[in-house]
Amino acid sequence: MTTNALLNTVGLIAILAVVFLIIYFISKNQGEEGPTNKAKRAQKDRGVDAAVKALNRYASLHNFCILQPAHLRCGEKAADLDAILVTFAGIIGVRCLGYNGEIFANSGESDWLWVTQESRTRIPDPVAQCAADARAIRDVLMQNPKLRNVPVECLPVFTDKSVQLAVPKSSRVFRQKDLMSTLEKEKYLEDKGLDQELIAGLLREALQK
């Protein structure tokens, strides 16, 4: 075999090797992108079960009452919460938001934008929803004069660890880990002598069957 023929053969082998490698890496990348694309499909309940379990553990640890799920109605007002904690310091309602993808919000807008790879969807402002939940709970408590001054707070928590939040700093929203650390603050653990059973009983009567 002449030198030129040998060089041509080596060159052809090198070209084929490069083509093979290109095909291999393209196939490999496509295979890796499959699950990623699937994970970015719109989902509303990611991490919700885990968040509720964490709240149950928290309630058990501190001897608090927990109602979950907590869909209650009082007159024309309603609260749609994943859990209500009745502590010795007050009432904490938790609305779990299992959205994946990205969440965008601007101050003063009544709707937020939820973006995933496959869709762009307007969702209600969860902070405003929690404010409405708190008003409904207060209306329930107003039925008993002894409970009218019980502190009530409802908190929105995003439960998907990968969700990206682009919301105003003034918007009081939580990730699950942030919520659980917040609930360990003295504000929520102090004993104000509230009658848990009385409060929980009144709230249970308002639960929607």
Side-chain angles (χ1 to χ4, degrees), residues 186-200:
E186 183 179 355
K187 170 185 176 180
Y188 300 103
L189 299 178
E190 65 178 318
D191 188 348
K192 293 183 178 180
L194 297 181
D195 189 335
Q196 282 189 341
E197 291 302 327
L198 178 61
I199 296 171

Side-chain angles (χ1 to χ4, degrees), residues 99-159:
Y99 299 107
N100 62 340
E102 300 171 288
I103 303 293
F104 297 91
N106 293 316
S107 298
E109 292 187 352
S110 59
D111 291 332
W112 291 14
L113 182 62
W114 170 33
V115 179
T116 64
Q117 184 169 295
E118 65 177 14
S119 64
R120 297 168 63 88
T121 307
R122 288 285 177 180
I123 61 174
D125 175 355
V127 177
Q129 287 183 307
C130 281
D133 294 332
R135 289 192 292 270
I137 293 174
R138 289 192 186 97
D139 278 6
V140 173
L141 298 178
M142 290 289 287
Q143 298 173 22
N144 187 327
K146 296 181 181 180
L147 304 178
R148 291 182 178 181
N149 295 321
V150 172
V152 178
E153 189 173 3
C154 292
L155 308 174
V157 52
F158 285 89
T159 56

